[in-house]
Structure formats: C-alpha cells, structure tokens
Amino acid sequence: MSKNMKVNIIHTIMWTLVAIGLIIIFSLPNTIANWGDNRTKTILLAVLFLLGFGVDFVLRMIERSRQGEYKKDERDSKVKYDAVVKSFVVLILYIYILSIVLYSKYENAGAMPVGWVWFIAYSVVTAANLFVGIFTIIGYKKQGM
Amino acid sequence: MGEIVIKNNLKRVRRANSDYTQEQLAQIADCTRQTIIALEQNKYNPSLALALKIAKALDVKVEDIFYLETEK
C-alpha cells in the first residue's frame, strides 16, 4: 500500500467519524426543531469540523516535510481529479435529493426549521470530503495500489 | 469492431534493455515506483510526456513499449 493511499485512508476514516458525529448530533430529539437553543451542539459540530480539517492539515504538513516519501506524479493527479469529478456528481445528487425530501416534508407547513439549513451546510461539507476520500481510495485500488 | 486500448510491454523491455529496477526507472522518468508498477500491470496509461521519458530512459522508441490493441 502506497503512502499516498494511507493518507487517503486516514482522511476518509476521519471524515467518516465526523459524519457519524454529525448524524448522531442531528438525530438527537428536538435538535432540528430547537436549533436556536443548541449552543452546545453548535460547538460540538465546530469541534468535529476542527478535528476533520485539523487531521487534514496535519497530514498535509507531514507530506510536505517528507516530500521524498510522499512523491506524487501524474497518476496521483489523475486519481485525485477523477475522484473530485465523481464526488461532484454524487454531491449534486445528494443536495438535490435532500432538497426535494425537505420540500416534500414541509410543503404544507409554510416554513422549515432553520436547523435543517445548518444540517445542509454541515453535511454538504462533510459529504464532499468523504466522497473525495472514498473515490480516491477506489481509484488507487483499481490500479492495485 | 472492438474497443481499441493502449497496452505496453514495459516490464519486458525494461528487463531486456536495462538493469534498472522499477524504482530506478521511476527516478529517471520522474514518476513514482507505483506508477511504473501500474504501467507494467497495464492498469494505467501514461501521458505522452511520461511515455517519452520512459522510452528515452530505456533507449528505445515509444512504439517499442506502447502499442494499440483491439479488445473483443
């Protein structure tokens, strides 16, 4: 397994944990409905994101400091490019489906709890990082790395 | 008519024309060893630039390494 693959696995595991945390927090009773009263949960989500982006930052610093070990070439760029393109498509579908579901749920209500807007914001960023990680791993696996 | 794909016999040419290991060839061609491995397993098609660098490193023509094949 190449070092670049290991970095992507760590990235994906971290963002999977962030996604699980996100789902748990938003699944708690009355979270969406009473979002304005959820200062603690807002901070928890911020901490989760800090962890996710923090791990990514640390991984980038390690890659920079050991450039010889983490050498990247055109194949790595191609794998990453393909992963980003596929992730973009999946993310568009995710946003579309989520929007339609929320619209259907609140069509007759006249208003939608603001907590859902926060969920969309956080989940889209989490999903983007997660999908890129997953498709990058799949791309490397296809080439036997 | 089947799909036309790019194949290579890099492994055979590397061993026949040089004493380079995969790592050494990767360093000369300015790519990673994983890319040379992927190439030799026909799991990756290189850019023109990389193909030329590899051919130059092995002192052969590009078409001696890479060729087109029709898959049925």
Side-chain angles (χ1 to χ4, degrees), chain B:
Chain B
M1 192 172 180
E3 185 187 355
I4 298 176
V5 295
I6 299 173
K7 296 276 189 181
N8 72 76
N9 47 22
L10 175 60
K11 192 174 187 177
R12 183 181 64 77
V13 172
R14 175 173 64 85
R15 288 179 172 178
N17 287 47
S18 74
D19 295 326
Y20 294 144
T21 61
Q22 290 173 334
E23 178 64 40
Q24 288 168 333
L25 179 59
Q27 282 183 2
I28 297 169
D30 194 25
C31 64
T32 62
R33 188 175 74 90
Q34 285 76 26
T35 296
I36 298 296
I37 292 171
L39 283 167
E40 291 186 351
Q41 292 177 350
N42 275 291
K43 289 183 177 178
Y44 175 67
N45 290 328
S47 66
L48 179 59
L50 181 58
L52 285 167
K53 285 179 187 176
I54 290 172
K56 186 178 178 183
L58 296 176
D59 197 26
V60 296
K61 295 179 184 175
V62 172
E63 51 266 34
D64 291 335
I65 302 174
F66 301 95
Y67 57 94
L68 295 173
E69 190 174 272
T70 303
E71 280 191 344
K72 294 176 184 176

Side-chain angles (χ1 to χ4, degrees), chain A residues 68-116:
Chain A
E69 292 179 38
Y70 293 89
K71 187 178 177 182
K72 290 181 182 177
D73 61 6
E74 60 174 51
R75 189 181 55 86
D76 296 287
S77 299
K78 185 175 187 308
V79 167
K80 190 61 108 181
Y81 173 80
D82 288 346
V84 169
V85 167
K86 287 171 186 168
S87 301
F88 176 70
V89 173
V90 173
L91 203 57
I92 285 177
L93 282 171
Y94 168 72
I95 294 169
Y96 175 77
I97 292 170
L98 183 60
S99 301
I100 294 296
V101 166
L102 289 175
Y103 172 79
S104 301
K105 185 179 167 70
Y106 293 100
E107 184 177 4
N108 298 320
M112 186 178 77
V114 70
W116 280 116

Side-chain angles (χ1 to χ4, degrees), chain A residues 7-19 44-60 122 125-126 129-130:
Chain A
V7 165
N8 276 291
I9 288 174
I10 294 170
H11 165 92
T12 305
I13 288 172
M14 191 61 231
W15 282 100
T16 302
L17 293 174
V18 171
L44 271 175
L45 286 172
V47 167
L48 274 177
F49 262 46
L50 195 63
L51 280 171
F53 286 112
V55 167
D56 280 347
F57 179 77
V58 169
L59 289 173
R60 295 296 158 263
Y122 276 99
V125 174
T126 304
N129 279 282
L130 192 54

